[in-house]
Amino acid sequence: MFDILDVISTGSTEPDVAHDFSPVMIIYRDGRAKRLVGNEIVPPSLDPKSNVLSKDVVYSQEENLTSRLFLPNNINPNKKLPLLLYFHGGGFGLETPFSPTYHSYLNTLVAESQIIAISVDYRRIPEHPIPILYGDSWAAVKWAASHADGDGPEEWLNSHADFNKVFFAGDSAGANIAHHMAMRYGEERLVGVNLIGIILVHPFFWGKDPIANEVDVGETIRELMETIWRCACPTTSGCDDPLINPMNDPKLPRLGGNKVLAAAAGKDVLRDRGRLYCETLKNNGWGGMVEFMEAEEEVHVFHLSNPTCENAVAMLRKIVSFIHEE
């Protein structure tokens, strides 16, 4: 995984290159992309370390979109487990649920939490700009909801998912998606599905005017963030678009669920946007429980590259507690 500050530049001398986000991605003027990281995939399996089973299932026949399901092995066949829908990060354009990074992380999260999880694959930018990936992610949520009566197409969900205890989670761009899925749930609801809360790890939120730690990063980084966002959503009105700046969304009090956990990293340029998100929820009439945790001296999505470090373990424990506390 990469920190946004690892991106060297957005310029290029090649005439057919629109944006050079080396060392992670190059976007061409015709809409193609060369992904320089996050391309490796691993098959589903019984993971010997975590004792978690995984398998891939199609949730959209029309678009041939697949998700990876994770289930603790050797559980009571009649036991119902909290259901987590996880949306991977990668700047809306990198990584998949099938990458070693996310496969490993979900194995660990499922083992520690004793939950059933759906790691959602969605079409990526720039070939499929926002809002396409939001639509894909909502289709995955609705596919999961089709199992609420125990008669859906996937037996793992029919047998083991507790639809009274549903959570959305994600990191970075995936946390942005998780937020918007909770917003849509708050607007539309889903019969038989009770969204308890959302877990946002280093969420990719931004805004036109700098706040707190953003003041010190300089115009180059701010221009980079805006360029990335405009590549993701070419039709955007800018960095105060509620899609990237939910604090600017008058509908924010309609957020689904009744609790939020947001995690931040001390050396992450996105740190204080996550903090402001929590403060806004507390003060705008939403009414749910909001928790914020910060890992000092850590960088963006550090827990994926260094999952056994002290702060990563502490964050995992907090997520487990958040899922199971009443």
Side-chain angles (χ1 to χ4, degrees):
M1 291 300 294
F2 68 96
D3 189 318
I4 198 70
L5 299 182
D6 291 336
V7 176
I8 296 173
S9 72
T10 60
S12 175
T13 58
E14 298 182 45
D16 60 339
V17 172
H19 299 285
D20 189 343
F21 294 117
S22 294
V24 297
M25 179 188 283
I26 298 172
I27 297 177
Y28 296 94
R29 297 188 187 279
D30 62 4
R32 294 178 298 114
K34 179 188 289 185
R35 293 174 174 87
L36 307 176
V37 297
N39 296 313
E40 186 180 356
I41 62 172
V42 294
S45 63
L46 170 58
D47 180 56
K49 183 177 180 181
S50 64
N51 199 30
V52 168
L53 288 162
S54 58
K55 66 177 174 178
D56 295 339
V57 294
V58 175
Y59 73 83
S60 172
Q61 295 286 350
E62 295 79 7
E63 304 296 343
N64 193 30
L65 292 172
T66 305
S67 289
R68 181 159 289 181
L69 272 60
F70 295 82
L71 179 71
N73 193 26
N74 297 327
I75 63 170
N76 184 322
N78 298 314
K79 184 177 178 61
K80 296 288 187 178
L81 305 175
L83 172 63
L84 176 82
L85 283 95
Y86 193 90
F87 305 94
H88 70 82
F92 302 111
L94 299 168
E95 298 284 351
T96 71
F98 322 115
S99 72
T101 296
Y102 285 103
H103 181 77
S104 177
Y105 180 67
L106 267 293
N107 275 325
T108 301
L109 179 58
V110 166
E112 293 295 322
S113 303
Q114 288 296 289
I115 58 175
I116 183 170
I118 303 172
S119 188
V120 177
D121 191 28
Y122 51 81
R123 287 174 288 177
R124 299 173 299 179
I125 70 157
E127 299 92 339
H128 304 285
I130 290 173
I132 290 173
L133 57 83
Y134 293 144
D136 292 345
S137 299
W138 186 245
V141 172
K142 290 198 296 182
W143 176 84
S146 72
H147 298 79
D149 290 333
D151 58 357
E154 174 47 52
E155 190 52 40
W156 281 10
L157 295 177
N158 290 334
S159 298
H160 299 295
D162 185 349
F163 285 89
N164 286 312
K165 296 180 179 179
V166 177
F167 296 83
F168 298 158
D171 65 277
S172 193
N176 176 294
I177 297 171
H179 160 77
H180 287 294
M181 294 306 98
M183 288 298 300
R184 191 153 179 179
Y185 175 90
E187 291 277 343
E188 300 184 22
R189 302 294 174 173
L190 290 169
V191 176
V193 175
N194 181 29
L195 178 65
I196 299 293
I198 60 174
I199 302 161
L200 309 181
V201 178
H202 310 166
F204 184 18
F205 299 144
W206 201 242
K208 179 180 178 181
D209 298 319
I211 63 166
N213 68 324
E214 297 170 8
V215 175
D216 299 326
V217 302
E219 282 303 310
T220 300
I221 295 300
R222 292 196 58 78
E223 289 172 4
L224 170 63
M225 296 294 289
E226 181 167 357
T227 300
I228 292 172
W229 171 240
R230 289 189 179 277
C231 287
C233 186
T235 60
T236 187
S237 59
C239 287
D240 276 341
D241 186 330
L243 295 179
I244 192 66
N245 186 359
M247 290 68 77
N248 202 39
D249 188 352
K251 296 180 180 179
L252 187 59
R254 302 180 192 176
L255 181 77
N258 55 37
K259 60 180 185 176
V260 169
L261 171 63
K267 294 183 176 180
D268 184 4
V269 68
L270 300 175
R271 181 192 69 197
D272 288 329
R273 287 288 163 179
R275 189 191 303 274
L276 180 59
Y277 176 85
C278 291
E279 293 171 353
T280 305
L281 282 176
K282 289 178 182 178
N283 297 323
N284 74 350
W286 177 60
M289 181 186 76
V290 181
E291 296 184 71
F292 179 81
M293 68 178 299
E294 179 181 337
E296 296 182 3
E297 302 304 315
E298 300 288 2
V299 298
H300 190 64
V301 295
F302 71 92
H303 64 295
L304 297 177
S305 57
N306 193 10
T308 60
C309 74
E310 182 179 351
N311 282 326
V313 172
M315 185 168 68
L316 180 62
R317 288 175 179 164
K318 182 60 182 177
I319 291 172
V320 172
S321 173
F322 179 83
I323 290 172
H324 289 288
E325 65 191 4
E326 296 296 333

